[in-house]
């Protein structure tokens, strides 16, 4: 059996064994395996598809994969530690920012109150000045008008 046929036969078995496969699909997949395998047993298929390797090569590959796995675990742990540290730093920054924001809101509220008080005081002061100015204001008559009025009353002017 060719390599491509082996792959097809294995895919047929994967479909047959999948938990979401319906009964009709299981039967179709098994029949597909039988046609593709041409009467070969699953053990024969596994022996033919598995590469022949000596035990020394397998042990070396196993040790290499173990080292890679260990390196990946260390890297992940380092990243987790870095992420936890960054999370702590961000939490502290957030608390500080919230504290500053609360202080800023408090100062803004105090400024608003002071603004209202100062504005009310200035309005009262302006109103008082206007009232005093209207009572202290001399008559609108000027000395020139008085002289002019007196002169015109004494003699009629003719041209």
């Amino acid at each position: 059996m060719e390599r491509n046929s082996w792959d097809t036969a294995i895919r047929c078995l994967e479909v047959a064994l999948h938990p979401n496969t319906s009964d009709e699909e299981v039967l179709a997949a098994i029949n597909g395996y039988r046609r593709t395998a041409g009467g070969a047993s699953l053990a024969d298929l596994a022996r033919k598809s598995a590469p022949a390797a000596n035990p020394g090569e397998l042990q070396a590959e196993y040790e290499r994969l173990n080292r890679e796995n260990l390196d990946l675990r260390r890297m992940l742990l380092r990243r987790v530690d870095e992420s936890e540290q960054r999370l702590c730093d961000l939490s502290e920054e957030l608390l500080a920012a919230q504290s500053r924001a609360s202080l800023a809101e408090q100062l803004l509220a105090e400024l608003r109150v002071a603004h209202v008080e100062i504005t009310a005081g200035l309005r009262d002061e302006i109103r008082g000045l206007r009232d005093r100015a209207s009572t202290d204001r001399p008559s609108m008559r000027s000395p020139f008008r008085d002289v002019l009025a007196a002169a015109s009353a004494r003699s009629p002017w003719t041209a």
Side-chain angles (χ1 to χ4, degrees):
M1 188 185 319
E2 296 176 26
R3 179 74 179 167
N4 194 19
S5 297
W6 297 339
D7 291 339
T8 303
I10 290 173
R11 277 196 299 271
C12 287
L13 287 179
E14 286 175 350
V15 169
L17 295 174
H18 194 275
N20 292 332
T21 304
S22 69
D23 293 342
E24 294 84 18
E25 291 172 326
V26 169
L27 291 175
I30 291 172
N31 288 331
Y33 167 78
R34 286 180 179 167
R35 278 191 308 274
T36 307
S41 69
L42 186 57
D44 292 338
L45 185 64
R47 275 192 294 278
K48 289 179 183 178
S49 65
N54 68 36
E57 289 175 1
L58 291 176
Q59 183 65 31
E61 180 69 9
Y62 173 76
E63 289 173 4
R64 183 188 66 79
L65 290 173
N66 269 344
R67 282 192 306 274
E68 283 182 20
N69 189 5
L70 188 59
D71 291 343
L72 289 172
R73 285 178 184 229
R74 287 179 183 147
M75 181 186 66
L76 287 174
L77 286 174
R78 187 178 69 249
R79 285 187 179 176
V80 166
D81 289 342
E82 290 170 356
S83 297
E84 286 176 346
Q85 182 61 43
R86 181 69 179 140
L87 182 61
C88 289
D89 294 345
L90 289 174
S91 295
E92 290 174 5
E93 289 178 23
L94 179 61
L95 287 174
Q98 287 174 338
S99 176
R100 288 190 302 270
S102 175
L103 181 60
E105 288 174 6
Q106 182 181 357
L107 289 174
L108 185 59
E110 291 173 7
L111 285 173
R112 285 182 183 137
V113 169
H115 178 263
V116 169
E117 290 173 355
I118 290 171
T119 304
L122 287 174
R123 285 186 183 137
D124 290 343
E125 190 174 330
I126 290 171
R127 192 175 309 114
L129 288 172
R130 283 185 180 156
D131 291 343
R132 192 172 58 195
S134 66
T135 58
D136 293 345
R137 189 177 293 167
S139 66
M140 293 304 281
R141 298 186 57 93
S142 68
F144 176 73
R145 284 188 181 192
D146 293 340
V147 171
L148 186 61
S152 65
R154 276 187 249 148
S155 63
W157 183 78
T158 57

